């Protein structure tokens, strides 16, 4: 390759790396940059005007987009801990007791259950599958809980069950997005992003929205579940770890002192402020705030996430082990984080996809293993929050992305070696505990086999509207202009606050 061909190749590669914004900035003596700046300013004005028109315009501090705000309406909840069991736990083995289904065990599924339905793996005519575990009633509320959750069974009088939650999606990725962003396609803000956008955070040294993972894998669509979508990126969730440094690269590189880091950040802040004044891009404010947050987190995050500060009794109650990665550790971390003023803590636990395709994904082995890992920590979290007087204004949410079928999965039309259930979007169980919801209460009832709602169907949009209501927001007016529409968590279809479950 000669010098001329090398130069041509370098020029070609530089063009490939040039973004549309860079091209417009550099073309015609920078006239493109002037145009983009005016468009950005106009977009900011349009956003402000549209938000004001619909009654929602969070006025954060100009230098801190996470400054704490008072919600526009009276609120019962100040903070949220959301426990998502990734893969969709079987409601028929945990909370939705169906003795009639036991009588049908092994019989061919009625064709009426199959007509017009879509399944991920069921083929032909499957057989009905009775509940695989025993149930008993617990507490003054008499709630039915299976033998797999003995510790949580003691807390049922603090739980508010939704037995008839419905979703539009029957595959994991879109269904998980539907739960956490209100839309199946990627690109919409997560619940935690909406909440921190509207309320900010009560701790300026930690992110307002923190994500904790367990189970050994990311959820199917990964970080899109805690992304900020079209909201400013400062409102996206920050993934932390219960083992090692809480956040990757939170420590200074070897040989760099904290004072030197401060000098570098001051220089960057000056450059970013100049860029902000010149172009008015709100992402510049995000960039400045995130650099400063990272600097403060170097001290605050390790301290907040140091489980060794807890008593031996507390560690035993949760089943937590400092220095390890586990759901138990994450539950205890969630309590510590909300205690420190973090607004929204999201836990994802992988491993609840019980198809019966192998031992780990079976109802007889995989499901009890997951229950053993989570039952004790969840019960401890609820008891701990209650004992500290925090359950009154903290909302704890538990659920998956859809339910499981009352039929046994027969992948490829064959009888499988292990017992399992296919995806079922028509009716599944979620529960909430804490601020603003009725304790010891069950809302909705499924049919005799737990397949569809017999009464009071609750779409995920209704769940989202109710959650926002508890935090002090009207789901119809909490909007953000994007692509010519006033976007909202509950979307454009009709949704309602489930008033019946509220205190």
């Amino acid at each position: 390759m000669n010098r001329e061909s090398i130069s041509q190749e370098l020029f070609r590669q530089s063009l490939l790396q040039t973004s549309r914004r860079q091209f417009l900035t550099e073309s015609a003596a920078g006239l493109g940059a002037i145009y983009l700046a005016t468009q950005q300013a106009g977009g900011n004005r349009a956003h402000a005007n549209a938000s004001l028109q619909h009654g929602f315009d969070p006025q954060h501090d100009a230098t801190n987009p996470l400054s704490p705000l008072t919600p526009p309406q009276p609120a019962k909840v100040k903070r949220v801990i959301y426990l998502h069991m990734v893969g969709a736990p079987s409601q028929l083995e945990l909370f939705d007791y169906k003795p009639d289904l036991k009588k049908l065990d092994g019989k061919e599924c009625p064709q009426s259950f199959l007509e017009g339905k879509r399944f991920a793996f069921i083929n032909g005519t499957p057989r009905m599958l009775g509940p695989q575990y025993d149930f008993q009633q617990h507490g003054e509320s008499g709630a039915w809980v299976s033998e797999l959750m003995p510790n949580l069974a003691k807390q049922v009088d603090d739980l508010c069950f939704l037995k008839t939650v419905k979703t539009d999606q029957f595959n994991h990725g879109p269904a998980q997005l539907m739960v956490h962003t209100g839309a199946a396609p990627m690109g919409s803000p997560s619940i935690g992003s909406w909440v921190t956008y509207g309320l900010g955070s009560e701790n300026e040294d930690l992110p307002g929205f923190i994500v904790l993972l367990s189970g050994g894998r990311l959820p199917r669509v990964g970080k899109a579940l805690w992304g900020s979508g079209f909201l400013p990126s400062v409102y996206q969730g920050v993934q932390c770890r219960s083992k090692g440094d809480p956040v990757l690269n939170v420590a200074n590189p070897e040989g760099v002192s904290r004072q030197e880091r401060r000098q570098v950040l001051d220089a960057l802040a000056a450059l970013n402020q100049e860029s902000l004044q010149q172009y008015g891009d709100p992402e510049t404010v995000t960039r400045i705030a995130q650099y400063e947050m990272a600097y403060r987190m170097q001290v605050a995050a390790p301290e907040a996430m140091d489980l060794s500060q807890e008593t031996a009794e507390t560690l035993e109650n949760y089943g937590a082990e400092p220095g390890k990665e586990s759901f138990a550790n994450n539950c205890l971390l969630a309590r510590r984080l909300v205690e420190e003023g973090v607004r929204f803590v999201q836990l994802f636990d992988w491993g609840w996809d019980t198809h019966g395709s192998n031992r780990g994904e079976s109802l007889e082995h995989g499901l009890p293993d997951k229950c053993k890992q989570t039952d004790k920590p969840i019960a401890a979290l609820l008891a701990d929050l209650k004992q500290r007087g925090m359950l009154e204004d903290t909302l704890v949410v538990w659920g998956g992305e859809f339910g499981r079928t009352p039929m046994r999965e027969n992948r490829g039309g064959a009888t499988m070696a292990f017992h399992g259930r296919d995806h079922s979007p028509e009716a599944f169980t979620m529960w909430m505990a804490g601020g603003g919801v009725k304790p010891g209460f069950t809302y909705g009832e499924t049919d005799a086999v737990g397949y569809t709602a017999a009464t009071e169907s609750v779409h995920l949009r209704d769940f989202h509207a109710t959650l926002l209501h508890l935090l002090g927001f009207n789901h119809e007016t909490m909007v953000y202009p994007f692509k010519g529409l006033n976007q909202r968590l509950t979307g454009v279809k009709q949704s309602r606050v489930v008033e019946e479950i509220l205190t």
Side-chain angles (χ1 to χ4, degrees):
M1 183 178 288
N2 56 37
R3 180 179 298 178
E4 183 178 357
S5 61
I6 292 174
S7 298
Q8 290 175 344
E9 177 61 21
L10 288 172
F11 180 66
R12 189 180 73 84
Q13 289 295 330
S14 70
L15 289 177
L16 289 174
Q17 298 301 318
T18 300
S19 68
R20 185 168 66 92
R21 182 176 293 274
Q22 289 170 323
F23 172 75
L24 290 172
T25 300
E26 296 169 1
S27 65
L31 291 177
I34 297 173
Y35 169 75
L36 286 173
T38 58
Q39 288 297 101
Q40 180 66 61
N44 291 342
R45 287 193 298 271
H47 166 236
N49 292 338
S51 296
L52 286 170
Q53 180 183 351
H54 288 268
F56 182 72
D57 184 28
Q59 297 292 318
H60 291 284
D61 186 285
T63 61
N64 181 14
L66 285 171
S67 58
L69 299 177
T70 301
Q73 299 176 359
K76 297 288 184 69
V77 173
K78 292 183 178 179
R79 62 197 74 88
V80 177
I81 298 174
Y82 197 124
L83 313 174
H84 185 102
M85 308 296 106
V86 181
S90 172
Q91 75 280 10
L92 298 169
E93 269 68 46
L94 297 180
F95 303 117
D96 203 9
Y97 178 50
K98 295 298 172 184
D100 287 352
L101 181 59
K102 190 171 185 177
K103 300 174 185 177
L104 297 172
D105 186 58
K107 296 183 179 181
E108 284 195 354
C109 175
Q111 287 302 310
S112 60
F113 283 17
L114 307 174
E115 293 171 355
K117 302 291 185 181
R118 295 186 298 172
F119 300 98
F121 296 103
I122 281 178
N123 297 103
T125 302
R127 295 187 178 276
M128 304 299 288
L129 181 64
Q132 300 297 292
Y133 297 95
D134 292 333
F135 280 73
Q136 287 186 349
Q137 288 180 287
H138 296 270
E140 294 183 7
S141 61
W144 290 95
V145 180
S146 92
E147 60 183 304
L148 293 179
M149 291 287 195
N151 292 288
L152 187 62
K154 300 173 185 177
Q155 308 281 348
V156 291
D157 287 338
D158 289 320
L159 306 184
C160 179
F161 288 98
L162 299 174
K163 293 290 185 69
T164 53
V165 184
K166 180 177 181 178
T167 179
D168 298 335
Q169 303 298 320
F170 70 99
N171 282 326
H172 292 290
Q176 290 165 12
L177 285 164
M178 191 81 188
V179 170
H180 292 285
T181 73
M186 292 188 181
S188 295
S190 59
I191 303 171
S193 295
W194 279 110
V195 172
T196 49
Y197 171 62
L199 294 178
S201 179
E202 294 179 328
N203 187 326
E204 64 177 12
D205 297 332
L206 292 170
F209 176 17
I210 288 181
V211 178
L212 301 169
L213 307 179
S214 58
R217 286 185 60 178
L218 280 168
R220 194 64 55 94
V221 290
K223 298 180 181 179
L225 295 180
W226 55 90
S228 59
F230 44 75
L231 295 177
S233 58
V234 70
Y235 301 112
Q236 67 185 346
V238 175
Q239 181 184 340
C240 292
R241 306 184 301 167
S242 54
K243 180 181 180 181
D245 286 340
V247 181
L248 291 174
N249 303 315
V250 71
N252 286 325
E254 186 177 350
V256 177
S257 68
R258 187 161 175 80
Q259 182 179 0
E260 289 171 325
R261 172 66 72 185
R262 180 68 267 170
Q263 292 173 342
V264 170
L265 290 180
D266 288 342
L268 278 173
L271 293 171
N272 282 321
Q273 284 290 350
E274 184 177 335
S275 176
L276 178 63
Q277 293 173 7
Q278 186 174 4
Y279 299 113
D281 187 347
E283 283 299 301
T284 307
V285 179
T286 290
R287 192 179 304 117
I288 296 170
Q290 288 178 328
Y291 276 132
E292 293 300 321
M293 172 73 74
Y295 180 75
R296 297 193 299 271
M297 280 180 64
Q298 289 184 316
V299 174
E303 181 177 347
M305 303 187 75
D306 182 7
L307 297 185
S308 66
Q309 297 182 15
E310 297 289 337
T311 65
E313 180 183 7
T314 298
L315 293 173
E316 170 59 29
N317 288 341
Y318 280 85
E321 299 178 87
K324 294 188 176 181
E325 183 175 277
S326 68
F327 181 80
N329 280 17
N330 288 349
C331 281
L332 181 50
L333 285 173
R335 190 225 79 203
R336 290 178 61 86
L337 290 169
V338 295
E339 199 170 32
E340 291 293 324
V342 175
R343 185 71 69 183
F344 200 101
V345 182
Q346 177 72 60
L347 274 63
F348 288 102
D349 184 60
W350 175 271
W352 294 84
D353 195 15
T354 48
H355 284 285
S357 55
N358 57 61
R359 181 184 175 90
E361 293 187 353
S362 67
L363 293 174
E364 56 262 59
H365 300 289
L367 181 61
D369 286 347
K370 293 308 299 182
C371 290
K372 287 178 184 177
Q373 294 168 19
T374 61
D375 173 46
K376 184 177 180 179
I378 294 173
L381 172 63
L382 294 172
D384 202 359
L385 290 170
K386 190 173 183 178
Q387 185 270 329
R388 293 168 185 267
M390 296 179 65
L391 195 59
E392 297 175 1
D393 54 8
T394 301
L395 184 68
V396 181
V397 180
W398 179 97
E401 57 263 35
F402 40 62
R404 316 301 296 202
T405 60
M407 301 84 80
R408 180 175 179 178
E409 185 166 321
N410 63 339
R411 191 169 299 193
T415 300
M416 299 164 69
F418 299 99
H419 290 86
R421 301 183 187 275
D422 205 351
H423 309 166
S424 184
E426 293 295 324
F428 62 103
T429 299
M430 297 180 69
W431 58 255
M432 295 186 280
V437 296
K438 292 179 180 178
F441 185 73
T442 295
Y443 183 75
E445 183 180 354
T446 56
D447 61 25
V449 296
Y451 194 28
T452 61
T455 63
E456 295 99 11
S457 181
V458 177
H459 197 279
L460 279 173
R461 291 187 294 270
D462 304 327
F463 162 70
H464 291 149
T466 306
L467 193 154
L468 291 178
H469 173 82
L470 290 168
L471 287 157
F473 297 103
N474 183 329
H475 69 279
E476 294 182 339
T477 60
M478 190 177 191
V479 299
Y480 191 92
F482 181 69
K483 290 187 176 179
L485 294 175
N486 285 311
Q487 308 282 354
R488 60 191 191 193
L489 175 61
T490 52
V492 297
K493 293 183 179 180
Q494 186 175 1
S495 53
R496 72 180 187 95
V497 174
V498 187
E499 300 278 356
E500 295 88 342
I501 70 170
L502 305 180
T503 55

